Amino acid sequence: MKRTNLIVIAVLVAVLVVLPTFSSLINLYIDWLFFTETGYASVFSKTMTTQIASGLFFGLLFLGFALANLMIAKRITFPNQDYYKISGTPLTINLNSLRTIQKAVTLFVLFIVTIMMGKWGASLWSEILLFGNAVTVGFNDPVFGKDIGFYLFQYPLLESLKQFIDFSLILAIVLVGITFFLGGGIQINQRQIIIDPRVNRHIGILIGLLIMNMGLGFYLESLRMLYSEHGVIFGASYTDVHAKLTSYRALMLLAPVAGVGMIVAIYKKSKKWAAIPLGVLFAVYFLGVVLYPAALQKFKVAPNELLLEAPFIENNIRLTRMGYDLDRIQEIPFDVAYNLTGKDIDKNDATIKNIRLWDHSPLLRTYSQLQQIRTYYRFMDVDNDRYTVDGKYLQVMLSPRELSYADLPSKTWINERLIFTHGNGLTLGPVSRISKEGLPEFFIKDIPPASNTDLKVKRPEIYYGELSNDYVIVKTRIPEFSYPTPDGNIYTSYAGEGGTETGSLVRRLLFSMKFQTEKILFSSDITKDSKILFYRNIRERVQKIAPFLLFDQDPYMVITDDGRLVWMVDAYTASSRMPYSKPSLRNKPGVRNINYVRNAVKASIDAYNGKVMFYVSDPSDSIIQVYMRIFPDMFKSLDAMPADLKRHIRYPQWLLQLQASIYSAYHMTDPKVFYNKENLWEMPVFDDKTMQPYYTIMKLPNEKKEEYILLLPYTPAKRDNLAAWLAARCDAPDYGKLVVYTFPRDRLIFGPKQVDARINQDAYISQQLTLWNQRGSKVIRGSLLVIPVERSLLYVQPLYLAASDAVGLPELRRVIVAYENEVVMEENLELALQRLFGARKAVSAATGATSQAQTAAGKSSVRELAAEAMKSYQRATELQRQGNWAGYGEEIKKLEELLKKMAK
């Protein structure tokens, strides 16, 4: 029987432990090859050493504690109880049969739990390294006076230790309880449970230790008040500090006393030694943590909430602003003046020419149909960036042309792993230019990439991207597909530094086991010089190297000065342990309750070589300072980033939206104003969607030149007019500076929803939209952008026309521009601005000039008005021919106004 048990246990151990361990060792070896290839072997060594040490420490500590208790329990002998009859039933348990398998089952359970505890301990590697390399932030929390660094770096490990102690004690109680029961130390009959005094002592000591550990729990619970929510504020409130805190401090002392009392009571065989301390403990908890705080809140705080909670609201405001780095937002009044002229438009020509008319979604559809070239290529996303093109600073839209393995016509292993190995080039064009057909213009297009500017792509192959599969093998006997031509396919061979040599048969065997295919081992196309490229998905690649960072979901591609393609990914340090800082609801996927975040790192990944670099963009961040101490060879200064990459760093959209959502309430720094929500903002809702931040090139107020910024407007809460606009500067030397421009609260400044309503109410525009939405076509209304120009605001919305079927090609057919109380729709932005500001320009040019200049300006004005009148007449004639009488009437009115101006 014993031999059979041992065989069963051995099989179970092999299935549950040995095989997964062998698989883990293979993965570990492959990962070591990957970290060596990327140049981060020291990161792998530090991480793995800490994981092994931590896993062994917690696993062996638990095992030693559990075995010690079991050995003590086994040494105590009792009169055996052979059978146990379940009261009220005819069922009887044969305890002798259970005793025969007890040892094997107990050892098996201990083994499995020890492995689990080891894995759990290994998962604490980041907390352990943060604890051991903690730095001080230089700011203390207002309740306990502890440096914020304690909460960011040390508090998490203390919570984990508390959980480990509780789990170990509870499991030890269960195991020794079962051992004593089967050994006869605990006997159960129909009337009573008989427990041997020696059993009482053993289990009582463990329970006493568990009660003593509650003292650490109460200490941590008192700190956890800094993360509690009380409706109006987040963090410790008046009730927490003046009621609960005192009780928790008393409980910290009473819990160890109650634990010792439990142990003393067992040895002295006197229940009062346990009952009195435990009674006091529970009484203090019930009265001091439950009853008294509730009464204090209801009868004192609630009637005087603003007065009593004001200091705690101030704590919440100050530390929330610190957690999201909002203190560096500069607030500037922006008094809108509707005196924009044609001269102002000319002066801000760079801003006007960089107004984005192509939305991401329609442009992605257009790129896919015009530039996908083959079905197995795909544009994953459209990114926004800026380049100096032929000497002009322009905003552009670009999209990498990646290989889509899901769309390969023949999905064989050779095709997917040896032949089709990479994407090819990208498509890039200006944000505002359109062709006569309403399609986007291209600076770079086709395969191989062809450019009509000084912006060139010389290394177009994309081996590492957003759509890349898990691995490919290069430098084999089979040529790699490069790109198609009318005369046939062009092939190539990888010449980069990326990848790991397949090497010997043993290494090929390990790769076969890793990727679960025997073809890597037996393929005759793989040579000793072949390389395997794996972890090719760029997000997975950087996450593998730096799992302690959060990476943005929107990588973007940059063309370097020498024509290479490099991915840029924003990385964040984040925590949920910032005291008094309100957690955000706009968290990254898979991450919750963030209340501290910094864009501390910019990562770059070479699309050809796969080389990964990490640059510290916010050296003042305390968390990245700790990781720089942990991994001294991993991070480089932002000054070390190549200039051609540094020109393209940008403020992340996700981060600005996160900060904007918090700042909408936390721009109010006065506790009374904050409590009453007197000036609460929110992000505009347009077309039933929350408005997203958008990039643009513009000249900020009081600045001398245009720059690349990320912009987001605000509206007052539950109102549609504008309250402010937030700008994040992206160009050096002002990168990362945040400015919020606030509108006067006593004036109506139209918001996106109000402008949209005015567009819908325009008879001509409404009729045209209705007409275009018929006859098998569909109107796609683009994003409504708010563009500050000088001290005024322009509202710009593109209109796309596409066939109503799924494959319709969106064409940009009209541009709507709103300014003050005027709304116009024209074929392009220039015509719309000419309608709005043509006459204004002439009047402005004449102001303050000599009589001769006034005469010349007057002649120029008449000529311009005559040209505008002629265009209005032509539009009226066209509308009459179409039978559009409402539009015809509108144009006749405009023609009348122009003729009156000419007659003056």
Side-chain angles (χ1 to χ4, degrees), residues 517-757:
T517 175
E518 73 286 351
K519 295 181 177 66
I520 297 177
L521 178 62
F522 296 112
S523 174
S524 59
D525 296 316
I526 300 175
T527 69
K528 63 178 182 178
D529 297 323
S530 298
K531 284 186 170 185
I532 183 167
L533 280 57
F534 55 102
Y535 291 130
R536 299 200 304 136
N537 182 283
I538 54 174
R539 285 197 291 269
E540 181 186 14
R541 192 172 183 84
V542 292
Q543 193 73 59
K544 188 70 179 177
I545 299 172
F548 46 85
L549 296 176
L550 301 180
F551 289 93
D552 201 274
Q553 299 298 304
D554 185 29
Y556 60 101
M557 181 167 278
V558 171
I559 305 173
T560 64
D561 290 346
D562 57 357
R564 293 180 298 111
L565 301 179
V566 177
W567 293 97
M568 298 285 286
V569 186
D570 286 289
Y572 310 96
T573 54
S575 176
S576 60
R577 305 292 186 171
M578 183 72 179
Y580 269 110
S581 180
K582 182 178 177 63
S584 172
L585 299 178
R586 298 178 179 274
N587 294 326
K588 287 179 65 59
V591 181
R592 296 180 179 180
N593 299 325
I594 288 177
N595 64 3
Y596 176 96
V597 65
R598 296 289 187 275
N599 178 211
V601 175
K602 304 285 186 181
S604 68
I605 308 99
D606 191 294
Y608 189 72
N609 292 318
K611 184 178 181 181
V612 180
M613 300 295 292
F614 297 95
Y615 301 96
V616 176
S617 55
D618 187 359
S620 64
D621 171 40
S622 300
I623 295 181
I624 201 62
Q625 289 173 11
V626 173
Y627 281 119
M628 289 171 70
R629 294 178 66 177
I630 297 171
F631 307 112
D633 300 326
M634 182 175 185
F635 300 99
K636 296 185 180 300
S637 167
L638 192 63
D639 294 334
M641 177 183 282
D644 51 1
L645 293 182
K646 197 173 181 180
R647 287 196 298 269
H648 295 280
I649 61 174
R650 64 185 193 184
Y651 204 87
Q653 285 180 297
W654 176 83
L655 179 60
L656 187 71
Q657 188 151 19
L658 175 66
Q659 291 176 311
S661 67
I662 298 297
Y663 192 73
S664 62
Y666 286 87
H667 70 278
M668 299 179 286
T669 55
D670 183 276
K672 183 179 179 180
V673 175
F674 183 90
Y675 178 85
N676 293 321
K677 302 187 186 305
E678 295 177 18
N679 192 23
L680 185 65
W681 297 343
E682 61 186 18
M683 286 174 283
V685 175
F686 175 73
D687 197 20
D688 297 326
K689 295 179 182 179
T690 301
M691 202 164 180
Q692 303 291 315
Y694 50 92
Y695 294 102
T696 188
I697 290 179
M698 61 168 287
K699 183 164 59 177
L700 291 173
N702 301 320
E703 296 293 334
K704 295 181 179 179
K705 66 175 184 177
E706 285 77 13
E707 58 186 288
Y708 190 60
I709 68 164
L710 183 60
L711 187 149
L712 180 66
Y714 278 117
T715 62
K718 300 179 182 179
R719 298 285 299 277
D720 294 327
N721 59 290
L722 287 181
W725 55 282
L726 177 65
R729 306 176 74 171
C730 300
D731 289 346
D734 298 310
Y735 172 80
K737 292 182 179 179
L738 300 178
V739 187
V740 64
Y741 295 91
T742 57
F743 297 116
R745 296 176 64 181
D746 58 350
R747 291 180 56 192
L748 173 65
I749 310 298
F750 290 123
K753 186 176 284 189
Q754 293 172 320
V755 173
D756 185 59

Side-chain angles (χ1 to χ4, degrees), residues 8 33 45 84 109 230 315 321 351 362 417 423 478 507 546 586 689 733 757 761 883 890 893-894:
V8 171
L33 292 176
S45 301
Y84 167 62
V109 170
H230 302 280
N315 294 338
R321 289 172 65 92
T351 298
R417 309 299 178 181
I478 299 179
R507 183 177 286 189
R586 298 178 179 274
K689 295 179 182 179
Q761 291 167 5
E890 290 291 325
K893 286 182 181 179
K894 293 176 183 177

Side-chain angles (χ1 to χ4, degrees), residues 356-364 397 781-783 785 798 800:
R356 177 172 58 83
L357 300 181
W358 286 103
D359 272 11
H360 291 73
S361 181
L363 186 61
L364 183 62
M397 308 284 277
R781 296 180 66 169
S783 300
L785 303 182
Y800 312 95

Side-chain angles (χ1 to χ4, degrees), residues 29-31 33-34 37-38 413 416-418 421 463-464 469-476 480 494 496-504 507-517 519-521 526-536 541 608-610:
Y29 173 72
I30 301 300
D31 286 346
L33 292 176
F34 167 71
E37 172 214 335
T38 53
W413 183 82
E416 291 184 345
R417 309 299 178 181
L418 306 185
T421 57
Y463 283 88
Y464 299 87
N469 60 6
D470 50 357
Y471 77 95
V472 293
I473 303 174
V474 297
K475 302 178 75 172
T476 64
E480 300 171 50
Y494 183 70
E497 300 174 356
T500 300
E501 293 181 355
T502 53
S504 64
R507 183 177 286 189
R508 288 173 63 175
L509 173 62
L510 293 176
F511 277 120
S512 295
M513 299 176 71
K514 162 71 176 177
F515 296 110
Q516 300 180 3
T517 175
K519 295 181 177 66
I520 297 177
L521 178 62
I526 300 175
T527 69
K528 63 178 182 178
D529 297 323
S530 298
K531 284 186 170 185
I532 183 167
L533 280 57
F534 55 102
Y535 291 130
R536 299 200 304 136
R541 192 172 183 84
Y608 189 72
N609 292 318

Side-chain angles (χ1 to χ4, degrees), residues 232-233 238 297 300-314 670-678:
V232 67
I233 63 169
Y238 179 91
Q297 179 69 30
K300 182 178 181 180
V301 177
N304 307 281
E305 191 171 43
L306 177 57
L307 176 64
L308 296 178
E309 298 287 17
F312 305 97
I313 294 174
E314 190 174 351
D670 183 276
K672 183 179 179 180
V673 175
F674 183 90
Y675 178 85
N676 293 321
K677 302 187 186 305
E678 295 177 18

